[in-house]
Amino acid sequence: MYFKFITLLALALLTGCTTIPYEKPQDRLNIQKDLSLKPEEIVTMTQVNWCAYAYGEVTPCHPQEALGVQTRTKLILASYDKPHYKTMVEVQASDVVCAHLQTPVDTAPNLFLFAQNYAVQIWPVEPNFKPDIAKKKLIVDTMLQSGKRTLVGTEKDYVSDTGRGRAGMTMTSIVNLVNPCSL
């Protein structure tokens, strides 16, 4: 329930996004130069919203905008400060142990990539801010080579209730994020 709320909140926030340029030839040249990439290394690019999590007690997600640049070996999440692109986070494909989708890859608007020490939740979006399912599939396929698996299910796969609560305006359950890849 907690992650469904976060996912719905993040999707609502997508409508307030600003467009990060990446489709024009000059944009691509700037991206390659600023991120030190060769054209043949790039598999796909799309605008994303993302959150990173450490394992343990879950803190609320405040999605950040970025340009997702998928290469053959890593996913680069880059910020854009006109006219430059700067790497914020690099997720190495070799570090990812599995992915998780709440619904099949053809319909899920987001995905989780689970590494040994952290998880990243990503919402790829088209320029019109609708979920970019095709590019999400490319990200999953590229990041999960070598027999790594994609899990499909609910947040119960990666969230465990601690049995404790937090008092505020209402009582909320404290939950832990766990890596579902070894379960």
Side-chain angles (χ1 to χ4, degrees), residues 117-148:
N117 299 315
Y118 65 93
V120 178
Q121 186 176 26
I122 302 165
W123 295 268
V125 292
E126 296 175 351
N128 61 5
F129 304 113
K130 291 182 181 177
D132 195 337
I133 302 297
K135 297 220 176 137
K136 182 194 67 178
K137 289 168 72 173
L138 276 172
I139 292 169
V140 170
D141 290 347
T142 305
M143 295 299 282
L144 295 175
Q145 297 176 8
S146 306
K148 297 176 185 176

PDB file of all heavy atoms in Angstrom, residues 117-148:
ATOM      1  N   ASN A 117      23.589  -3.136  -2.627  1.00  0.00           N
ATOM      2  CA  ASN A 117      23.489  -2.227  -1.484  1.00  0.00           C
ATOM      3  C   ASN A 117      22.423  -1.150  -1.601  1.00  0.00           C
ATOM      4  O   ASN A 117      22.279  -0.336  -0.694  1.00  0.00           O
ATOM      5  CB  ASN A 117      24.845  -1.537  -1.253  1.00  0.00           C
ATOM      6  CG  ASN A 117      25.925  -2.543  -0.948  1.00  0.00           C
ATOM      7  OD1 ASN A 117      25.736  -3.456  -0.155  1.00  0.00           O
ATOM      8  ND2 ASN A 117      27.057  -2.397  -1.598  1.00  0.00           N
ATOM      9  N   TYR A 118      21.710  -1.093  -2.707  1.00  0.00           N
ATOM     10  CA  TYR A 118      20.716  -0.035  -2.899  1.00  0.00           C
ATOM     11  C   TYR A 118      19.720  -0.449  -3.978  1.00  0.00           C
ATOM     12  O   TYR A 118      19.941  -1.423  -4.705  1.00  0.00           O
ATOM     13  CB  TYR A 118      21.399   1.286  -3.300  1.00  0.00           C
ATOM     14  CG  TYR A 118      22.085   1.213  -4.643  1.00  0.00           C
ATOM     15  CD1 TYR A 118      21.431   1.590  -5.814  1.00  0.00           C
ATOM     16  CD2 TYR A 118      23.398   0.742  -4.761  1.00  0.00           C
ATOM     17  CE1 TYR A 118      22.056   1.505  -7.048  1.00  0.00           C
ATOM     18  CE2 TYR A 118      24.024   0.655  -5.988  1.00  0.00           C
ATOM     19  CZ  TYR A 118      23.345   1.037  -7.124  1.00  0.00           C
ATOM     20  OH  TYR A 118      23.965   0.946  -8.347  1.00  0.00           O
ATOM     21  N   ALA A 119      18.638   0.328  -4.072  1.00  0.00           N
ATOM     22  CA  ALA A 119      17.644   0.135  -5.126  1.00  0.00           C
ATOM     23  C   ALA A 119      17.347   1.489  -5.755  1.00  0.00           C
ATOM     24  O   ALA A 119      17.436   2.525  -5.094  1.00  0.00           O
ATOM     25  CB  ALA A 119      16.367  -0.471  -4.555  1.00  0.00           C
ATOM     26  N   VAL A 120      17.000   1.462  -7.031  1.00  0.00           N
ATOM     27  CA  VAL A 120      16.623   2.671  -7.747  1.00  0.00           C
ATOM     28  C   VAL A 120      15.270   2.420  -8.392  1.00  0.00           C
ATOM     29  O   VAL A 120      15.067   1.394  -9.042  1.00  0.00           O
ATOM     30  CB  VAL A 120      17.666   3.034  -8.835  1.00  0.00           C
ATOM     31  CG1 VAL A 120      17.243   4.274  -9.605  1.00  0.00           C
ATOM     32  CG2 VAL A 120      19.039   3.225  -8.226  1.00  0.00           C
ATOM     33  N   GLN A 121      14.337   3.348  -8.176  1.00  0.00           N
ATOM     34  CA  GLN A 121      13.031   3.285  -8.819  1.00  0.00           C
ATOM     35  C   GLN A 121      13.030   4.318  -9.944  1.00  0.00           C
ATOM     36  O   GLN A 121      13.437   5.466  -9.737  1.00  0.00           O
ATOM     37  CB  GLN A 121      11.921   3.580  -7.826  1.00  0.00           C
ATOM     38  CG  GLN A 121      10.542   3.388  -8.395  1.00  0.00           C
ATOM     39  CD  GLN A 121       9.443   3.592  -7.352  1.00  0.00           C
ATOM     40  OE1 GLN A 121       9.619   4.296  -6.371  1.00  0.00           O
ATOM     41  NE2 GLN A 121       8.304   2.963  -7.585  1.00  0.00           N
ATOM     42  N   ILE A 122      12.579   3.903 -11.122  1.00  0.00           N
ATOM     43  CA  ILE A 122      12.648   4.752 -12.311  1.00  0.00           C
ATOM     44  C   ILE A 122      11.296   4.764 -13.020  1.00  0.00           C
ATOM     45  O   ILE A 122      10.680   3.714 -13.214  1.00  0.00           O
ATOM     46  CB  ILE A 122      13.737   4.237 -13.277  1.00  0.00           C
ATOM     47  CG1 ILE A 122      15.089   4.199 -12.565  1.00  0.00           C
ATOM     48  CG2 ILE A 122      13.811   5.095 -14.540  1.00  0.00           C
ATOM     49  CD1 ILE A 122      16.129   3.397 -13.282  1.00  0.00           C
ATOM     50  N   TRP A 123      10.870   5.974 -13.403  1.00  0.00           N
ATOM     51  CA  TRP A 123       9.668   6.173 -14.203  1.00  0.00           C
ATOM     52  C   TRP A 123      10.082   6.804 -15.524  1.00  0.00           C
ATOM     53  O   TRP A 123      10.228   8.028 -15.604  1.00  0.00           O
ATOM     54  CB  TRP A 123       8.686   7.132 -13.518  1.00  0.00           C
ATOM     55  CG  TRP A 123       8.095   6.665 -12.241  1.00  0.00           C
ATOM     56  CD1 TRP A 123       6.915   5.992 -12.082  1.00  0.00           C
ATOM     57  CD2 TRP A 123       8.611   6.877 -10.917  1.00  0.00           C
ATOM     58  NE1 TRP A 123       6.690   5.775 -10.739  1.00  0.00           N
ATOM     59  CE2 TRP A 123       7.707   6.306 -10.010  1.00  0.00           C
ATOM     60  CE3 TRP A 123       9.753   7.490 -10.429  1.00  0.00           C
ATOM     61  CZ2 TRP A 123       7.923   6.328  -8.641  1.00  0.00           C
ATOM     62  CZ3 TRP A 123       9.970   7.516  -9.070  1.00  0.00           C
ATOM     63  CH2 TRP A 123       9.050   6.935  -8.189  1.00  0.00           C
ATOM     64  N   PRO A 124      10.314   6.030 -16.595  1.00  0.00           N
ATOM     65  CA  PRO A 124      10.624   6.633 -17.893  1.00  0.00           C
ATOM     66  C   PRO A 124       9.375   7.314 -18.461  1.00  0.00           C
ATOM     67  O   PRO A 124       8.269   6.769 -18.374  1.00  0.00           O
ATOM     68  CB  PRO A 124      11.017   5.436 -18.766  1.00  0.00           C
ATOM     69  CG  PRO A 124      11.323   4.330 -17.800  1.00  0.00           C
ATOM     70  CD  PRO A 124      10.431   4.584 -16.623  1.00  0.00           C
ATOM     71  N   VAL A 125       9.560   8.506 -19.030  1.00  0.00           N
ATOM     72  CA  VAL A 125       8.425   9.238 -19.597  1.00  0.00           C
ATOM     73  C   VAL A 125       8.761   9.755 -20.985  1.00  0.00           C
ATOM     74  O   VAL A 125       9.901  10.084 -21.288  1.00  0.00           O
ATOM     75  CB  VAL A 125       7.972  10.418 -18.702  1.00  0.00           C
ATOM     76  CG1 VAL A 125       7.373   9.916 -17.410  1.00  0.00           C
ATOM     77  CG2 VAL A 125       9.101  11.386 -18.427  1.00  0.00           C
ATOM     78  N   GLU A 126       7.732   9.807 -21.823  1.00  0.00           N
ATOM     79  CA  GLU A 126       7.856  10.369 -23.161  1.00  0.00           C
ATOM     80  C   GLU A 126       7.883  11.892 -23.056  1.00  0.00           C
ATOM     81  O   GLU A 126       7.555  12.446 -22.000  1.00  0.00           O
ATOM     82  CB  GLU A 126       6.663   9.931 -24.016  1.00  0.00           C
ATOM     83  CG  GLU A 126       6.599   8.436 -24.246  1.00  0.00           C
ATOM     84  CD  GLU A 126       5.343   8.006 -24.995  1.00  0.00           C
ATOM     85  OE1 GLU A 126       4.433   8.841 -25.202  1.00  0.00           O
ATOM     86  OE2 GLU A 126       5.268   6.823 -25.352  1.00  0.00           O
ATOM     87  N   PRO A 127       8.220  12.595 -24.152  1.00  0.00           N
ATOM     88  CA  PRO A 127       8.208  14.058 -24.108  1.00  0.00           C
ATOM     89  C   PRO A 127       6.854  14.645 -23.684  1.00  0.00           C
ATOM     90  O   PRO A 127       6.803  15.725 -23.128  1.00  0.00           O
ATOM     91  CB  PRO A 127       8.571  14.466 -25.538  1.00  0.00           C
ATOM     92  CG  PRO A 127       9.423  13.332 -26.017  1.00  0.00           C
ATOM     93  CD  PRO A 127       8.801  12.100 -25.400  1.00  0.00           C
ATOM     94  N   ASN A 128       5.760  13.927 -23.912  1.00  0.00           N
ATOM     95  CA  ASN A 128       4.438  14.406 -23.490  1.00  0.00           C
ATOM     96  C   ASN A 128       4.086  13.931 -22.069  1.00  0.00           C
ATOM     97  O   ASN A 128       2.953  14.076 -21.623  1.00  0.00           O
ATOM     98  CB  ASN A 128       3.357  13.965 -24.479  1.00  0.00           C
ATOM     99  CG  ASN A 128       3.251  12.462 -24.575  1.00  0.00           C
ATOM    100  OD1 ASN A 128       3.909  11.715 -23.846  1.00  0.00           O
ATOM    101  ND2 ASN A 128       2.415  11.997 -25.487  1.00  0.00           N
ATOM    102  N   PHE A 129       5.067  13.353 -21.362  1.00  0.00           N
ATOM    103  CA  PHE A 129       4.991  12.921 -19.968  1.00  0.00           C
ATOM    104  C   PHE A 129       4.099  11.704 -19.729  1.00  0.00           C
ATOM    105  O   PHE A 129       3.744  11.406 -18.602  1.00  0.00           O
ATOM    106  CB  PHE A 129       4.588  14.083 -19.045  1.00  0.00           C
ATOM    107  CG  PHE A 129       5.521  15.244 -19.179  1.00  0.00           C
ATOM    108  CD1 PHE A 129       5.084  16.436 -19.729  1.00  0.00           C
ATOM    109  CD2 PHE A 129       6.847  15.126 -18.810  1.00  0.00           C
ATOM    110  CE1 PHE A 129       5.961  17.499 -19.887  1.00  0.00           C
ATOM    111  CE2 PHE A 129       7.730  16.179 -18.962  1.00  0.00           C
ATOM    112  CZ  PHE A 129       7.281  17.371 -19.500  1.00  0.00           C
ATOM    113  N   LYS A 130       3.777  10.958 -20.781  1.00  0.00           N
ATOM    114  CA  LYS A 130       3.106   9.668 -20.611  1.00  0.00           C
ATOM    115  C   LYS A 130       4.191   8.634 -20.349  1.00  0.00           C
ATOM    116  O   LYS A 130       5.333   8.798 -20.767  1.00  0.00           O
ATOM    117  CB  LYS A 130       2.318   9.294 -21.865  1.00  0.00           C
ATOM    118  CG  LYS A 130       1.124  10.180 -22.097  1.00  0.00           C
ATOM    119  CD  LYS A 130       0.364   9.730 -23.322  1.00  0.00           C
ATOM    120  CE  LYS A 130      -0.825  10.645 -23.548  1.00  0.00           C
ATOM    121  NZ  LYS A 130      -1.565  10.295 -24.759  1.00  0.00           N
ATOM    122  N   PRO A 131       3.862   7.529 -19.656  1.00  0.00           N
ATOM    123  CA  PRO A 131       4.880   6.492 -19.421  1.00  0.00           C
ATOM    124  C   PRO A 131       5.493   6.009 -20.743  1.00  0.00           C
ATOM    125  O   PRO A 131       4.777   5.789 -21.708  1.00  0.00           O
ATOM    126  CB  PRO A 131       4.093   5.373 -18.733  1.00  0.00           C
ATOM    127  CG  PRO A 131       2.944   6.074 -18.092  1.00  0.00           C
ATOM    128  CD  PRO A 131       2.582   7.204 -19.027  1.00  0.00           C
ATOM    129  N   ASP A 132       6.797   5.878 -20.760  1.00  0.00           N
ATOM    130  CA  ASP A 132       7.523   5.426 -21.951  1.00  0.00           C
ATOM    131  C   ASP A 132       7.829   3.933 -21.794  1.00  0.00           C
ATOM    132  O   ASP A 132       8.919   3.548 -21.386  1.00  0.00           O
ATOM    133  CB  ASP A 132       8.802   6.242 -22.135  1.00  0.00           C
ATOM    134  CG  ASP A 132       9.405   6.073 -23.525  1.00  0.00           C
ATOM    135  OD1 ASP A 132       9.122   5.041 -24.175  1.00  0.00           O
ATOM    136  OD2 ASP A 132      10.155   6.965 -23.944  1.00  0.00           O
ATOM    137  N   ILE A 133       6.843   3.120 -22.111  1.00  0.00           N
ATOM    138  CA  ILE A 133       6.925   1.673 -21.915  1.00  0.00           C
ATOM    139  C   ILE A 133       8.019   1.053 -22.792  1.00  0.00           C
ATOM    140  O   ILE A 133       8.773   0.190 -22.337  1.00  0.00           O
ATOM    141  CB  ILE A 133       5.555   1.009 -22.199  1.00  0.00           C
ATOM    142  CG1 ILE A 133       4.453   1.588 -21.289  1.00  0.00           C
ATOM    143  CG2 ILE A 133       5.649  -0.502 -22.072  1.00  0.00           C
ATOM    144  CD1 ILE A 133       4.636   1.376 -19.818  1.00  0.00           C
ATOM    145  N   ALA A 134       8.136   1.496 -24.034  1.00  0.00           N
ATOM    146  CA  ALA A 134       9.141   0.912 -24.937  1.00  0.00           C
ATOM    147  C   ALA A 134      10.555   1.135 -24.411  1.00  0.00           C
ATOM    148  O   ALA A 134      11.383   0.224 -24.409  1.00  0.00           O
ATOM    149  CB  ALA A 134       8.987   1.497 -26.337  1.00  0.00           C
ATOM    150  N   LYS A 135      10.844   2.326 -23.944  1.00  0.00           N
ATOM    151  CA  LYS A 135      12.191   2.607 -23.440  1.00  0.00           C
ATOM    152  C   LYS A 135      12.420   1.924 -22.101  1.00  0.00           C
ATOM    153  O   LYS A 135      13.536   1.510 -21.798  1.00  0.00           O
ATOM    154  CB  LYS A 135      12.421   4.107 -23.363  1.00  0.00           C
ATOM    155  CG  LYS A 135      12.335   4.719 -24.765  1.00  0.00           C
ATOM    156  CD  LYS A 135      13.329   5.760 -25.020  1.00  0.00           C
ATOM    157  CE  LYS A 135      13.232   6.245 -26.466  1.00  0.00           C
ATOM    158  NZ  LYS A 135      13.340   7.676 -26.553  1.00  0.00           N
ATOM    159  N   LYS A 136      11.375   1.781 -21.310  1.00  0.00           N
ATOM    160  CA  LYS A 136      11.504   1.047 -20.044  1.00  0.00           C
ATOM    161  C   LYS A 136      11.898  -0.403 -20.343  1.00  0.00           C
ATOM    162  O   LYS A 136      12.779  -0.966 -19.676  1.00  0.00           O
ATOM    163  CB  LYS A 136      10.205   1.092 -19.250  1.00  0.00           C
ATOM    164  CG  LYS A 136      10.339   0.364 -17.909  1.00  0.00           C
ATOM    165  CD  LYS A 136       9.011   0.120 -17.286  1.00  0.00           C
ATOM    166  CE  LYS A 136       8.299  -0.855 -18.136  1.00  0.00           C
ATOM    167  NZ  LYS A 136       7.077  -1.352 -17.887  1.00  0.00           N
ATOM    168  N   LYS A 137      11.288  -1.005 -21.362  1.00  0.00           N
ATOM    169  CA  LYS A 137      11.634  -2.376 -21.737  1.00  0.00           C
ATOM    170  C   LYS A 137      13.096  -2.480 -22.169  1.00  0.00           C
ATOM    171  O   LYS A 137      13.781  -3.434 -21.809  1.00  0.00           O
ATOM    172  CB  LYS A 137      10.703  -2.868 -22.849  1.00  0.00           C
ATOM    173  CG  LYS A 137       9.282  -3.107 -22.357  1.00  0.00           C
ATOM    174  CD  LYS A 137       8.290  -3.311 -23.472  1.00  0.00           C
ATOM    175  CE  LYS A 137       8.418  -4.605 -24.175  1.00  0.00           C
ATOM    176  NZ  LYS A 137       7.333  -4.845 -25.153  1.00  0.00           N
ATOM    177  N   LEU A 138      13.585  -1.481 -22.920  1.00  0.00           N
ATOM    178  CA  LEU A 138      14.996  -1.481 -23.329  1.00  0.00           C
ATOM    179  C   LEU A 138      15.916  -1.377 -22.120  1.00  0.00           C
ATOM    180  O   LEU A 138      16.952  -2.044 -22.059  1.00  0.00           O
ATOM    181  CB  LEU A 138      15.280  -0.307 -24.265  1.00  0.00           C
ATOM    182  CG  LEU A 138      14.956  -0.509 -25.735  1.00  0.00           C
ATOM    183  CD1 LEU A 138      15.119   0.802 -26.500  1.00  0.00           C
ATOM    184  CD2 LEU A 138      15.827  -1.583 -26.336  1.00  0.00           C
ATOM    185  N   ILE A 139      15.550  -0.541 -21.150  1.00  0.00           N
ATOM    186  CA  ILE A 139      16.359  -0.402 -19.932  1.00  0.00           C
ATOM    187  C   ILE A 139      16.413  -1.732 -19.194  1.00  0.00           C
ATOM    188  O   ILE A 139      17.489  -2.201 -18.811  1.00  0.00           O
ATOM    189  CB  ILE A 139      15.813   0.721 -19.028  1.00  0.00           C
ATOM    190  CG1 ILE A 139      16.028   2.089 -19.697  1.00  0.00           C
ATOM    191  CG2 ILE A 139      16.462   0.679 -17.640  1.00  0.00           C
ATOM    192  CD1 ILE A 139      15.300   3.242 -19.025  1.00  0.00           C
ATOM    193  N   VAL A 140      15.257  -2.361 -19.004  1.00  0.00           N
ATOM    194  CA  VAL A 140      15.213  -3.653 -18.301  1.00  0.00           C
ATOM    195  C   VAL A 140      16.048  -4.691 -19.045  1.00  0.00           C
ATOM    196  O   VAL A 140      16.874  -5.381 -18.444  1.00  0.00           O
ATOM    197  CB  VAL A 140      13.751  -4.131 -18.118  1.00  0.00           C
ATOM    198  CG1 VAL A 140      13.698  -5.570 -17.627  1.00  0.00           C
ATOM    199  CG2 VAL A 140      12.999  -3.215 -17.152  1.00  0.00           C
ATOM    200  N   ASP A 141      15.861  -4.799 -20.349  1.00  0.00           N
ATOM    201  CA  ASP A 141      16.595  -5.800 -21.136  1.00  0.00           C
ATOM    202  C   ASP A 141      18.106  -5.582 -21.076  1.00  0.00           C
ATOM    203  O   ASP A 141      18.875  -6.529 -20.972  1.00  0.00           O
ATOM    204  CB  ASP A 141      16.139  -5.787 -22.598  1.00  0.00           C
ATOM    205  CG  ASP A 141      14.735  -6.336 -22.787  1.00  0.00           C
ATOM    206  OD1 ASP A 141      14.197  -6.961 -21.842  1.00  0.00           O
ATOM    207  OD2 ASP A 141      14.158  -6.113 -23.868  1.00  0.00           O
ATOM    208  N   THR A 142      18.544  -4.327 -21.139  1.00  0.00           N
ATOM    209  CA  THR A 142      19.976  -4.029 -21.134  1.00  0.00           C
ATOM    210  C   THR A 142      20.586  -4.229 -19.754  1.00  0.00           C
ATOM    211  O   THR A 142      21.699  -4.739 -19.628  1.00  0.00           O
ATOM    212  CB  THR A 142      20.224  -2.589 -21.623  1.00  0.00           C
ATOM    213  OG1 THR A 142      19.614  -2.437 -22.916  1.00  0.00           O
ATOM    214  CG2 THR A 142      21.705  -2.297 -21.740  1.00  0.00           C
ATOM    215  N   MET A 143      19.877  -3.836 -18.716  1.00  0.00           N
ATOM    216  CA  MET A 143      20.420  -3.922 -17.357  1.00  0.00           C
ATOM    217  C   MET A 143      20.391  -5.337 -16.798  1.00  0.00           C
ATOM    218  O   MET A 143      21.086  -5.641 -15.842  1.00  0.00           O
ATOM    219  CB  MET A 143      19.669  -2.973 -16.422  1.00  0.00           C
ATOM    220  CG  MET A 143      19.846  -1.499 -16.766  1.00  0.00           C
ATOM    221  SD  MET A 143      21.549  -0.916 -16.697  1.00  0.00           S
ATOM    222  CE  MET A 143      21.760  -0.746 -14.942  1.00  0.00           C
ATOM    223  N   LEU A 144      19.592  -6.225 -17.403  1.00  0.00           N
ATOM    224  CA  LEU A 144      19.439  -7.574 -16.852  1.00  0.00           C
ATOM    225  C   LEU A 144      19.936  -8.662 -17.787  1.00  0.00           C
ATOM    226  O   LEU A 144      19.299  -9.681 -17.973  1.00  0.00           O
ATOM    227  CB  LEU A 144      17.971  -7.828 -16.498  1.00  0.00           C
ATOM    228  CG  LEU A 144      17.442  -6.936 -15.394  1.00  0.00           C
ATOM    229  CD1 LEU A 144      15.968  -7.167 -15.190  1.00  0.00           C
ATOM    230  CD2 LEU A 144      18.201  -7.144 -14.114  1.00  0.00           C
ATOM    231  N   GLN A 145      21.095  -8.477 -18.342  1.00  0.00           N
ATOM    232  CA  GLN A 145      21.690  -9.521 -19.173  1.00  0.00           C
ATOM    233  C   GLN A 145      22.312 -10.583 -18.271  1.00  0.00           C
ATOM    234  O   GLN A 145      22.328 -10.442 -17.055  1.00  0.00           O
ATOM    235  CB  GLN A 145      22.721  -8.896 -20.094  1.00  0.00           C
ATOM    236  CG  GLN A 145      22.102  -7.909 -21.060  1.00  0.00           C
ATOM    237  CD  GLN A 145      23.125  -7.203 -21.910  1.00  0.00           C
ATOM    238  OE1 GLN A 145      24.301  -7.519 -21.910  1.00  0.00           O
ATOM    239  NE2 GLN A 145      22.670  -6.214 -22.654  1.00  0.00           N
ATOM    240  N   SER A 146      22.799 -11.620 -18.842  1.00  0.00           N
ATOM    241  CA  SER A 146      23.497 -12.702 -18.129  1.00  0.00           C
ATOM    242  C   SER A 146      22.602 -13.470 -17.171  1.00  0.00           C
ATOM    243  O   SER A 146      23.003 -13.804 -16.063  1.00  0.00           O
ATOM    244  CB  SER A 146      24.714 -12.153 -17.367  1.00  0.00           C
ATOM    245  OG  SER A 146      25.558 -11.443 -18.221  1.00  0.00           O
ATOM    246  N   GLY A 147      21.366 -13.719 -17.572  1.00  0.00           N
ATOM    247  CA  GLY A 147      20.493 -14.575 -16.778  1.00  0.00           C
ATOM    248  C   GLY A 147      19.885 -13.943 -15.540  1.00  0.00           C
ATOM    249  O   GLY A 147      19.281 -14.631 -14.730  1.00  0.00           O
ATOM    250  N   LYS A 148      20.035 -12.643 -15.361  1.00  0.00           N
ATOM    251  CA  LYS A 148      19.404 -11.973 -14.221  1.00  0.00           C
ATOM    252  C   LYS A 148      17.907 -11.928 -14.478  1.00  0.00           C
ATOM    253  O   LYS A 148      17.460 -11.862 -15.616  1.00  0.00           O
ATOM    254  CB  LYS A 148      19.975 -10.581 -14.036  1.00  0.00           C
ATOM    255  CG  LYS A 148      21.457 -10.608 -13.699  1.00  0.00           C
ATOM    256  CD  LYS A 148      22.023  -9.215 -13.627  1.00  0.00           C
ATOM    257  CE  LYS A 148      23.526  -9.268 -13.417  1.00  0.00           C
ATOM    258  NZ  LYS A 148      24.110  -7.926 -13.444  1.00  0.00           N
TER     259      LYS A 148
END
